[in-house]
Amino acid sequence: MQVSVQTSAIGSDREVQRPIEELESVVIRFVGDSGDGMQLTGNGFSMAVAKAGHDFATHPDYPSEIRAPTGTLFGVSGYQIQYASSQVFTSGDAPDVLVAMNPAALKTNHADVKHGGMIIANAGAFGEANLKKAGYASNPLEDGSFEGYRLFKIDISTLTSNALADSGLSKKDIGRCKNFFALGLMLCLYSRPLEREMEEINRKFAKKPLVAAANVTALLAGYAYAESAEMFATTYQVREAAKRPGKYRSITGNQAAALGFVAASELSGAPLFIGSYPITPATDILHELAALKHFNVTTFQAEDEIAGICSTIGAVYGGALGLTTTSGPGMALKTEALGLAVMLELPLVVVNVQRGGPSTGLPTKIEQSDLLQALYGRNGECPLPVIAASSPADCFDCAIEAFRIAVKYMTPVILLSDGGIGNAAEPWLIPDVANLPPLEVKYRTDPTDFRPYARDQNLARAWVVPGTPGMEYRLGGLEKDFLSGNISCDPLNHQRMVDVRAAKVAGIANDIPPSQVDGPARGELLVVGWGSTHGAITQAREKAAAQGKSVAQVHLRNLNPLPSDLGEIFGRYKKVLVPELNMGQLSKLLRDQYLVDVVPLSKVQGKPFKVSEIYERIMELS
């Protein structure tokens, strides 16, 4: 549907009659060098659509190498957003629009663009040197390489320089403003106002007024160019979204996790301590909590991963809610101390924001390959609960749930996220604090008949703050006597302690609510997922169901123990499909525990699943 409206160029008396094409959804990807500000551009655009009430999902994509050489293929940074008038589950399979700031960005991303889609290229960056770095023998903007696409060649670099000729900034600083020219251009093309972004620029660069003014000027120049340029015969507008009651904010998974941990502290009345060593992509949780110290939060940036978890163990021993965050290699370094926390039976939470591996691997890319490490990656018989967040907003609820399990059962808990969840953003309905689940912390203060390892109905021992009169006791990594906590090498006592620690974790299954099955209660195919595959699985299942396929979905939050009703659910379906961003780790677990002939769908490319990839496999199996 098209409607004709009248627009006028900023700063011009000329009026342009231009139709607006209404869309149900759109996928836009911004790409350029890691210094081109593509994350800032994408975030600015997502804030603009959020302000309009649209649902959206994003996928930031960073180069793995720090300060990768300018213009190289491996130095490209990107930010993809899908927004719509209805619910959005993923950042989109393929861009409708690609904004490429240099040849390398175009080379590494153009194949993903929908055929007939729009490519906006910064023609000013397509000089001989950049073309050579990207591996182009000729200029693809001039040699017909993009026939079948709507190619717009715009010298963003020169237009930004001209707009800022009198800004007082250096040539280098002027070059850094071209991302805001691109943002202004896209805000105009997609009928979004500028006011909110101008306010955000002035806020972000409040201590650098010259830079703030220059960025605003570049933004306005980009908007004016798109509004007046005759090459754009049409502008676009995503249909107005249905109003959703409540107050929303845009949130990333790492931000949501940080707020969830603060909420857990406030709900329990216990102080929060985080001891962590910076590591991509988990570091933002530490940053966010450092800014929230007024909520009785203590942040400790440790000298290494081992110090991070050991300081947390000390804080928990002292009565705090203790948290340590990490990713991939850092999880390996925390292993011995995590085993100590299991032996001490202390309630701390370890967050693993997973990334590509092994070793340093792909530190800025998405993967789900640490599941078996979380379940089994410790010496000895050392079980502990493992839960996984399924979306950025879900990280808030999972953070509270992780601490609830930890203090109720006096055990460490691993919370799995990943780079796709941690860095991505989506709208989050800010919850009513009165509706948050209770989280009760009990410290034992009565010394009568006190025995450190005596247990309650959950097999949890008492939490005693050091210095409580008459309740001195000893802790350590050597095996404990079943009641006194004294060191014990007795074989039968060790068997008993191993059994009870395992039974305690297994008993958490009684706390897991019935599994939610989306789709028919029985049928041909059940798709089982965990973590960040949720959005792609959901959309693929719904698409297959619309084609008449008998397909259902279960998405797991609790990975150890698994929900007690899962075996019965498996019995209702002829086939079980498990899509994972690994080589089939949950598939192995389900086969082992339920003797189900699971069909794995594995992907290990540093990229999330496309909806089409899961949809095609569903259609094959059903």
Side-chain angles (χ1 to χ4, degrees), residues 488-511:
S488 174
C489 295
D490 178 75
L492 294 180
N493 178 77
H494 178 55
Q495 178 78 57
R496 189 179 187 187
M497 290 295 278
V498 167
D499 289 344
V500 79
R501 286 191 290 263
K504 177 171 66 172
V505 173
I508 295 170
N510 298 323
D511 243 359

Side-chain angles (χ1 to χ4, degrees), residues 446-457:
D446 181 6
T448 305
D449 297 325
F450 171 60
R451 287 182 285 188
Y453 279 80
R455 301 173 185 278
D456 64 13
Q457 68 275 15

Side-chain angles (χ1 to χ4, degrees), residues 326-361:
T326 191
S327 184
M331 195 69 188
L333 291 170
K334 294 181 187 294
T335 297
E336 183 181 0
L338 187 53
L340 173 62
V342 169
M343 181 69 84
L344 303 181
E345 300 188 46
L346 287 174
L348 65 89
V349 172
V350 182
V351 180
N352 180 358
V353 186
Q354 301 165 95
R355 68 191 210 183
S359 186
T360 311

Side-chain angles (χ1 to χ4, degrees), residues 57-283:
T58 72
H59 178 67
D61 187 20
Y62 309 89
S64 291
E65 185 172 339
I66 298 173
R67 296 180 184 271
T70 301
T72 57
L73 299 176
F74 53 88
V76 173
S77 176
Y79 191 106
Q80 182 163 305
I81 176 172
Q82 178 174 207
Y83 75 104
S85 57
S86 56
Q87 188 173 6
V88 172
F89 295 103
T90 73
S91 62
D93 278 14
D96 299 291
V97 184
L98 178 70
V99 180
M101 301 299 284
N102 66 10
L106 183 62
K107 183 74 173 286
T108 53
N109 287 272
H110 78 264
D112 293 339
V113 181
K114 292 177 181 176
H115 190 71
M118 183 188 302
I119 297 175
I120 297 175
N122 174 20
F126 280 69
E128 184 176 344
N130 279 343
L131 289 169
K132 185 176 180 180
K133 287 180 185 178
Y136 280 118
S138 61
N139 189 339
L141 305 184
E142 307 295 343
D143 63 10
S145 295
F146 295 106
E147 290 183 8
Y149 296 88
R150 290 174 290 158
L151 176 63
F152 296 92
K153 299 172 286 185
I154 303 172
D155 190 346
I156 294 174
S157 299
T158 299
L159 289 167
T160 303
S161 296
N162 292 342
L164 301 180
D166 299 323
S167 65
L169 295 183
S170 67
K171 183 177 180 181
K172 181 179 180 180
D173 287 339
I174 287 174
R176 289 173 174 166
C177 297
K178 62 182 178 289
N179 62 319
F180 282 104
F181 185 101
L183 177 57
L185 187 150
M186 293 303 293
L187 290 175
C188 178
L189 285 183
Y190 283 86
S191 308
R192 301 308 327 143
L194 289 170
E195 289 75 18
R196 187 262 167 210
E197 186 56 34
M198 293 167 65
E199 292 172 2
E200 179 61 20
I201 290 172
N202 286 317
R203 184 198 65 78
K204 186 175 182 63
F205 297 99
K207 294 182 179 180
K208 298 179 179 180
L210 274 181
V211 174
N215 284 329
V216 168
T217 299
L219 182 79
L220 292 170
Y223 196 98
Y225 181 87
E227 197 173 35
S228 59
E230 294 182 359
M231 68 172 71
F232 296 115
T234 304
T235 57
Y236 306 90
Q237 181 173 295
V238 173
R239 296 183 196 275
E240 186 176 350
K243 300 299 182 184
R244 298 177 295 171
K247 186 175 183 180
Y248 289 79
R249 62 159 285 184
S250 174
I251 201 164
T252 67
N254 286 339
Q255 290 171 336
L259 291 176
F261 291 129
V262 172
S265 174
E266 291 290 304
L267 289 167
S268 67
L272 178 66
F273 175 90
I274 176 172
S276 290
Y277 179 74
I279 183 170
T280 301
T283 306

Side-chain angles (χ1 to χ4, degrees), residues 416-428:
L416 296 176
S417 174
D418 62 46
I421 292 174
N423 293 325
E426 67 179 0
W428 175 53

Side-chain angles (χ1 to χ4, degrees), residues 371-518:
L371 174 58
L372 294 182
Q373 179 192 40
L375 293 173
Y376 305 119
R378 293 165 295 283
N379 63 294
E381 293 293 338
C382 193
L384 51 74
V386 178
I387 66 174
S390 61
S391 70
D394 190 46
C395 288
F396 177 85
D397 298 320
C398 285
I400 297 175
E401 178 67 4
F403 267 126
R404 188 193 66 81
I405 293 172
V407 299
K408 183 174 181 178
Y409 292 89
M410 287 295 284
T411 178
V413 176
I414 293 176
L415 169 55
L416 296 176
S417 174
D418 62 46
I421 292 174
N423 293 325
E426 67 179 0
W428 175 53
L429 175 61
I430 299 174
D432 183 345
V433 173
N435 294 330
L436 293 177
L439 201 167
E440 186 178 9
V441 167
K442 293 180 180 179
Y443 305 114
R444 177 162 176 171
T445 58
D446 181 6
T448 305
D449 297 325
F450 171 60
R451 287 182 285 188
Y453 279 80
R455 301 173 185 278
D456 64 13
Q457 68 275 15
N458 299 313
L459 300 180
R461 73 173 189 85
W463 195 358
V464 178
V465 176
T468 304
M471 301 182 72
E472 296 80 7
Y473 67 107
R474 57 192 298 179
L475 287 176
L478 294 173
E479 185 61 279
K480 306 291 178 292
D481 176 72
F482 187 75
L483 289 176
S484 70
N486 294 331
I487 295 172
S488 174
C489 295
D490 178 75
L492 294 180
N493 178 77
H494 178 55
Q495 178 78 57
R496 189 179 187 187
M497 290 295 278
V498 167
D499 289 344
V500 79
R501 286 191 290 263
K504 177 171 66 172
V505 173
I508 295 170
N510 298 323
D511 243 359
I512 301 173
S515 300
Q516 178 179 329
V517 178
D518 295 315

